[in-house]
Amino acid sequence: MAVTVLIPTALQKFTNSQATIECTGSSVAELFDSLEKHCPGIKARLCDEAGQPRRFLNLYVNSEDIRFLEGIATSLKDGDEVSIVPAVAGG
């Protein structure tokens, strides 16, 4: 099962400058593990010590925010697209 992951520029140093990565996983949590196998070090940038997404990241599955779905337990299927979007704040 292939899932396309859109990688922000700030994390592309872990992906050999690739903006998209094909990975596998039946949930967002499994996808994080798959990403770590292909891009060592990236999971620590995505997840805190408890395995939850870092607060400054927004994660979307097919344009749906996972916070409004099932969080990291959100199911994935073949062909899904996961976007990792750094949060932007201003004042």
Side-chain angles (χ1 to χ4, degrees):
M1 165 176 59
V3 175
T4 301
V5 184
L6 305 178
I7 308 292
T9 304
L11 294 176
Q12 289 179 17
K13 62 184 173 186
F14 296 100
T15 65
N16 293 319
S17 300
Q18 294 180 343
T20 60
I21 298 284
E22 295 288 324
C23 282
T24 59
S26 61
S27 69
V28 173
E30 286 182 16
L31 181 71
F32 286 164
D33 292 335
S34 179
L35 271 171
E36 181 64 20
K37 288 179 186 172
H38 291 89
C39 310
I42 198 168
K43 187 175 178 181
R45 305 289 183 179
L46 300 174
C47 301
D48 62 19
E49 297 75 26
Q52 295 299 309
R54 293 199 178 273
R55 293 184 341 172
F56 56 83
L57 290 176
N58 297 309
L59 298 163
Y60 299 89
V61 174
N62 302 323
S63 301
E64 293 285 332
D65 192 328
I66 68 166
R67 291 176 290 191
F68 301 110
L69 298 172
E70 296 176 52
I72 61 171
T74 299
S75 297
L76 299 173
K77 61 186 180 316
D78 193 37
D80 280 349
E81 182 178 87
V82 175
S83 302
I84 302 169
V85 181
V88 178

